[in-house]
Amino acid sequence: MKKAFNAGLLSAFVAPGSGHFYLKHKRTALVFFSLAVVSLVLLLMQIYQVAQVIALDIQNGTLPLDIAVISAEITQQTQTTIANANELLYGFLLCWLVALADSIRLGLKQDKQDKLDTHSNR
């Protein structure tokens, strides 16, 4: 169970796909890592767009330089954006969980094969 445990830890705490990379499944690792990065980039782009809108409103004078008004605008804009961002966040989390489960599955398979190989060599 050593490979399964290590692959699970890597996938859980480092990044999706890192457990696959440890198990030498580099294509699968690249797929999971790419999916995670793309979903995070899209999520950050939405957050950046909200920040840009608020910054432009402040520069144009639409929003006064009052922290309470700016805070209320951030809250309102964020709540509107969160509805769209939830799908990306759930996609990221699903990718991470699937990568974790698959790396443990592959690790258990390799552990089992290693155990059979050591018994056959005796």
Side-chain angles (χ1 to χ4, degrees):
M1 285 205 32
K2 186 177 181 182
K3 287 185 179 181
F5 182 73
N6 290 339
L9 284 177
L10 285 169
S11 283
F13 295 113
V14 176
S18 58
H20 290 84
F21 191 78
Y22 169 76
L23 296 171
K24 297 186 178 32
H25 289 263
K26 293 179 182 176
R27 286 185 184 151
T28 310
L30 183 62
V31 168
F32 281 120
F33 186 73
S34 297
L35 288 172
V37 168
V38 166
S39 63
L40 280 178
V41 166
L42 291 173
L43 183 65
L44 289 173
M45 284 175 54
Q46 285 189 344
I47 293 168
Y48 180 76
Q49 287 174 349
V50 169
Q52 283 294 100
V53 167
I54 292 171
L56 286 174
D57 285 348
I58 292 170
Q59 284 180 345
N60 294 336
T62 309
L63 280 178
L65 286 176
D66 180 14
I67 194 70
V69 174
I70 294 171
S71 178
E73 183 66 20
I74 290 171
T75 303
Q76 183 216 0
Q77 291 282 343
T78 305
Q79 287 175 350
T80 305
T81 305
I82 284 177
N84 299 331
N86 277 342
E87 294 169 2
L88 292 170
L89 184 60
Y90 293 145
F92 173 75
L93 292 175
L94 180 65
C95 174
W96 202 312
L97 289 174
V98 169
L100 172 62
D102 191 51
S103 66
I104 291 172
R105 179 189 66 83
L106 289 172
L108 288 171
K109 187 176 176 182
Q110 284 187 12
D111 285 338
K112 186 177 179 180
Q113 185 63 41
D114 290 347
K115 190 174 181 180
L116 289 174
D117 289 344
T118 57
H119 284 297
S120 65
N121 289 337
R122 288 183 183 180

